[in-house]
Amino acid sequence: MPELRSKAKVVLELVKECVAEFESLSEEKKRELIERYSAELKPKAEKKEQKLSPLEKAEKGKVVMRFAPNPNGPPTLGSARGIVVNDEYCKIYDGKFILRFDDTDPRTKRPMLEAYEWYLEDCEWLDAKPDEVVYASKRIPIYYEYCEKLLEMEKAYPCFCSKEEFKKYRDSGIECPHRNTSAEDALEIWEKMLNGEFREGEVVIRIKTDMKHKDPAIRDWVAFRIIYEDHPLVGDEFCVWPTLDFESAIEDHLLGITHIIRGKDLRDSELRQRYIYEYFGWEYPITRHWGKVSIHEFGKLSTSELRKEIEAGKYRGWDDPRLPTIRALRRRGFKPEAIRKFILSLGVGENDVSVSVKNLYAENRKLIDPIANRYFFVWDPVEIKIEGLDSCVDVKIPLNPTKGGYRVLKGSKEVYICREDFERLREGDIVRLKDFCNIRLIDKDGAKFKFEGFELKDVKKGKNIIHWLPKRDVVKCYVYGVEKDYEGFAEKNALNDIGNVVQFERFAFCRLEAFEDELEAVYTHP
RNA sequence: GCUCCGGUGGUGUAGCCCGGCCAAUCAUACCGGCCUUUCGAGCCGGUGACCCGGGUUCAAAUCCCGGCCGGAGCACCA
């Protein structure tokens, strides 16, 4: 009853009276009243699924959003955040999702040709297939047009100051001498720029803002510069390239973007770009910015850093399981839904987040645990002998506790077990080979055990149950790990699951990748 | 230094705009229990937080002021 709030004092008095009246009643009467009214109390509201917070001013069916990477490497978990969050909002509001390659610097942040394709692939895999794909480098003439308009309007000008010179003007809030160039002269210089009549660095186009703006970063920023370098996608067609701020400002308008969500490092962009929007009478999209994500186990998710390390030979490639790229996660057998959930759980706050990859593992585990078949993998194997077990027996072991089903191993007197399990045992100890039999260590140096029976209840549970493999019925197995690689033997039954994620019991979930001379697997997570 | 932003359990997040149903949500981590067989999986349970100080108010995680701590930008990179 919210309308009573303003009369809180009066209500409080009334409540006190009621309580006093209630207290004065007999115990029996109290109990009766409690029972009569407790039925009316509502149960606690059922828990709601965690969702993204609503977008301000978003109308269903009218939202247009974009993710705008520079394809200078494959998408990482960081890029996936941009893809998934933008896509998710589009899904919520029935909007349009655009993938735009902001690839207008052929040198410093040079795009990588294969990466264009990788972005497309990974978006689709993440269930975020864009409704439209735009390549900025293929639309350079459009940006030229808008530049010319601004030059005509004298809202932009060619500036011959060197970087250092201009910095002085900027820091002291003084207009540089080129700022007053007439539209006519400016267009003439522009023409010469396009014709390649200037050297790199000789002249740039600046957007007029306010040389007295309280944030120097906003003052007359660069919109175009000259770079003589082949572009991986469009070759040497252009020598005048727009900066991100210009290209993105024009594109966001042309594409009808209504909402932008991007990193807070681009917060100043908005301040700069608003000048262009004002000159053309356009409406600036609604923006939100998020902080950096770092994953404890991976560190910062910088593509350029990864590239250096790959080039230095530290990793086997962009899909090395130790890397935070989507390709690597894909190879490891993660489910796209798990990655989406993990990313959405980070929200869209402005503070930097530092989260453990275990959260991602947990999401993925929920999805694969019910379907992944179980197999034995013995890493760092030790061969042991079991005395007193005369014949081979078929051992039936469940394939998956939820799905059901069985696989069969040949129980024999010569088996492999993990070295770490073996080392832990002392002479006289009993262990159980899971689903097979109990054995007692009688000679550690000779790795000899004695058969003690098949009954499970004869051994304690827990650490006393270990996995094993028959010596004569195994394949060699190599696991590409995250911390390190593992070598050993796996059961042959696993060959039925090539391409799938399985659980190597007491080890981890792994994706079985290939089988040639040996089984190759990639570590997924515990 | 200048400009802008943020601070909820160990970690991440919901709630903040529009103060009360918040002795604060969900997840993960951690701890404990359960399972005729994974004690590295699964299932169940438990511990654990509103940065600090002041103000406004009957009432503050929520509004205001100050402090402290953290981050981003200040490129002819994106």
Side-chain angles (χ1 to χ4, degrees):
Chain A
M1 281 170 252
E3 66 275 10
L4 290 181
R5 274 179 200 164
S6 52
K7 295 174 187 148
K9 268 185 184 164
V10 184
V11 173
L12 191 63
E13 284 311 309
L14 290 172
V15 168
K16 271 184 194 163
E17 278 175 37
C18 293
V19 170
E21 194 183 329
F22 178 79
E23 288 300 332
S24 67
L25 296 169
S26 68
E27 287 301 317
E28 200 178 321
K29 189 83 182 162
K30 278 186 195 170
R31 211 168 296 131
E32 190 198 311
L33 284 172
I34 290 172
E35 275 188 21
R36 194 195 311 169
Y37 290 105
S38 58
E40 288 177 23
L41 290 174
K42 278 186 242 163
K44 258 271 199 223
E46 69 293 346
K47 53 186 158 188
K48 53 192 169 189
E49 204 180 315
Q50 192 152 314
K51 274 205 213 126
L52 289 174
S53 54
L55 265 188
E56 44 277 52
K57 291 190 188 162
E59 270 182 72
K60 217 166 173 124
K62 293 194 178 158
V63 170
V64 183
M65 299 182 75
R66 83 319 195 260
F67 172 61
N70 175 24
N72 60 344
T76 62
L77 271 175
S79 337
R81 191 184 192 191
I83 296 167
V84 169
V85 170
N86 279 291
D87 173 73
E88 183 69 16
Y89 272 121
C90 288
K91 285 192 162 76
I92 292 173
Y93 290 105
D94 205 5
K96 180 179 177 187
F97 175 56
I98 297 174
L99 173 66
R100 185 180 78 218
F101 292 107
D102 280 353
D103 55 348
T104 57
D105 179 357
R107 184 172 295 150
T108 320
K109 290 271 170 90
R110 190 176 171 78
M112 193 175 164
L113 206 47
E114 313 93 291
Y116 290 94
E117 199 50 46
W118 291 346
Y119 267 95
L120 263 28
E121 265 173 42
D122 286 349
C123 279
E124 198 161 332
W125 182 74
L126 285 167
D127 188 27
K129 190 177 178 178
D131 297 303
E132 191 179 335
V133 181
V134 176
Y135 300 78
S137 58
K138 293 184 181 175
R139 287 157 62 94
I140 302 290
I142 297 175
Y143 313 137
Y144 288 172
E145 268 175 53
Y146 285 94
C147 179
E148 276 156 34
K149 284 183 195 164
L150 289 168
L151 290 168
E152 276 165 29
M153 294 156 74
E154 296 191 342
K155 294 298 185 191
Y157 60 96
C159 173
F160 290 87
C161 295
S162 70
K163 252 189 252 183
E164 299 70 30
E165 274 173 301
F166 190 82
K167 192 171 165 36
K168 274 182 218 154
Y169 288 117
R170 189 186 60 205
D171 291 347
S172 47
I174 299 167
E175 302 186 350
C176 96
H178 315 284
R179 202 178 203 260
N180 298 317
T181 314
S182 70
E184 245 174 289
D185 293 350
L187 284 163
E188 199 176 309
I189 294 167
W190 169 249
E191 208 55 44
K192 288 185 179 170
M193 283 174 72
L194 296 182
N195 289 335
E197 293 179 35
F198 293 106
R199 295 185 314 273
E200 275 189 24
E202 200 174 348
V203 57
V204 297
I205 301 294
R206 289 187 185 278
I207 300 297
K208 281 189 196 173
T209 61
D210 176 0
M211 288 306 285
K212 296 266 190 287
H213 194 288
K214 61 180 174 175
D215 184 354
I218 308 307
R219 300 174 187 164
D220 287 20
W221 50 276
V222 171
F224 286 87
R225 75 287 209 207
I226 298 170
I227 304 171
Y228 293 105
E229 179 132 356
D230 277 14
H231 187 282
L233 206 60
V234 294
D236 59 357
E237 205 178 326
F238 308 104
C239 63
V240 176
W241 294 93
T243 56
L244 171 81
D245 280 334
F246 189 85
E247 173 267 321
S248 152
I250 302 295
E251 285 293 5
D252 285 338
H253 171 73
L254 294 179
L255 298 172
I257 304 295
T258 56
H259 300 259
I260 299 174
I261 304 183
R262 59 185 167 196
K264 64 180 174 184
D265 49 322
L266 291 173
R267 184 175 272 288
D268 286 352
S269 268
E270 174 169 349
L271 265 31
R272 286 193 278 258
Q273 296 177 335
R274 274 188 183 277
Y275 282 89
I276 295 183
Y277 276 67
E278 198 186 301
Y279 297 149
F280 286 127
W282 298 341
E283 193 184 333
Y284 202 84
I286 290 168
T287 54
R288 255 211 241 179
H289 296 89
W290 57 44
K292 271 213 183 81
V293 181
S294 84
I295 311 251
H296 300 330
E297 293 82 351
F298 288 124
K300 293 262 192 309
L301 304 167
S302 144
T303 311
S304 1
E305 284 299 308
L306 295 182
R307 167 180 233 130
K308 269 186 225 157
E309 295 186 320
I310 285 175
E311 279 164 6
K314 202 173 154 191
Y315 299 105
R316 298 184 197 94
W318 287 104
D319 63 352
D320 188 299
R322 292 167 289 183
L323 293 176
T325 59
I326 301 303
R327 326 190 59 66
L329 265 15
R330 196 135 65 109
R331 184 175 166 207
R332 284 168 67 182
F334 281 85
K335 294 271 186 200
E337 303 95 282
I339 295 180
R340 286 186 76 105
K341 279 194 177 155
F342 169 69
I343 284 168
L344 294 175
S345 80
L346 302 180
V348 276
E350 289 235 4
N351 34 1
D352 293 349
V353 303
S354 177
V355 67
S356 168
V357 78
K358 286 178 183 171
N359 291 275
L360 172 60
Y361 291 172
E363 291 296 349
N364 201 57
R365 191 147 48 221
K366 283 177 203 153
L367 300 173
I368 60 172
D369 184 66
I371 53 171
N373 285 334
R374 269 57 171 168
Y375 296 107
F376 287 160
F377 165 58
V378 175
W379 61 97
D380 198 5
V382 176
E383 186 189 329
I384 61 166
K385 289 201 169 47
I386 305 167
E387 294 177 355
L389 181 75
D390 359 273
S391 56
C392 282
V393 280
D394 277 357
V395 180
K396 270 173 85 182
I397 313 177
L399 255 185
N400 178 293
T402 355
K403 272 192 320 189
Y406 288 93
R407 80 243 201 212
V408 176
L409 283 181
K410 296 246 177 279
S412 64
K413 54 173 73 167
E414 289 168 325
V415 305
Y416 292 117
I417 63 173
C418 285
R419 182 167 303 278
E420 59 188 76
D421 286 329
F422 178 74
E423 293 301 340
R424 219 184 44 235
L425 295 171
R426 287 176 315 196
E427 284 178 14
D429 287 350
I430 288 192
V431 286
R432 178 169 180 84
L433 301 178
K434 185 171 183 281
D435 294 293
F436 178 25
C437 66
N438 309 326
I439 55 175
R440 185 191 297 275
L441 179 58
I442 48 173
D443 169 12
K444 186 148 185 173
D445 295 331
K448 286 204 180 84
F449 287 72
K450 189 168 140 263
F451 175 73
E452 288 280 340
F454 291 107
E455 286 302 308
L456 167 70
K457 55 178 179 269
D458 293 345
V459 319
K460 271 181 281 167
K461 284 187 288 177
K463 291 256 188 233
N464 286 314
I465 297 174
I466 63 173
H467 62 114
W468 56 280
L469 283 172
K471 187 189 169 189
R472 257 178 270 288
D473 208 20
V474 294
V475 287
K476 279 184 78 182
C477 180
Y478 192 89
V479 178
Y480 294 96
V482 172
E483 318 243 275
K484 58 169 184 163
D485 293 351
Y486 297 84
E487 255 178 295
F489 298 109
E491 61 184 274
K492 275 188 174 159
N493 300 311
L495 297 179
N496 297 325
D497 258 312
I498 301 288
N500 298 333
V501 175
V502 303
Q503 189 197 54
F504 282 145
E505 293 189 53
R506 300 215 304 142
F507 179 66
F509 290 93
C510 290
R511 184 172 154 272
L512 304 184
E513 207 168 38
F515 175 67
E516 278 172 36
D517 304 328
E518 58 177 11
L519 180 60
E520 285 179 36
V522 188
Y523 184 91
T524 311
H525 56 70

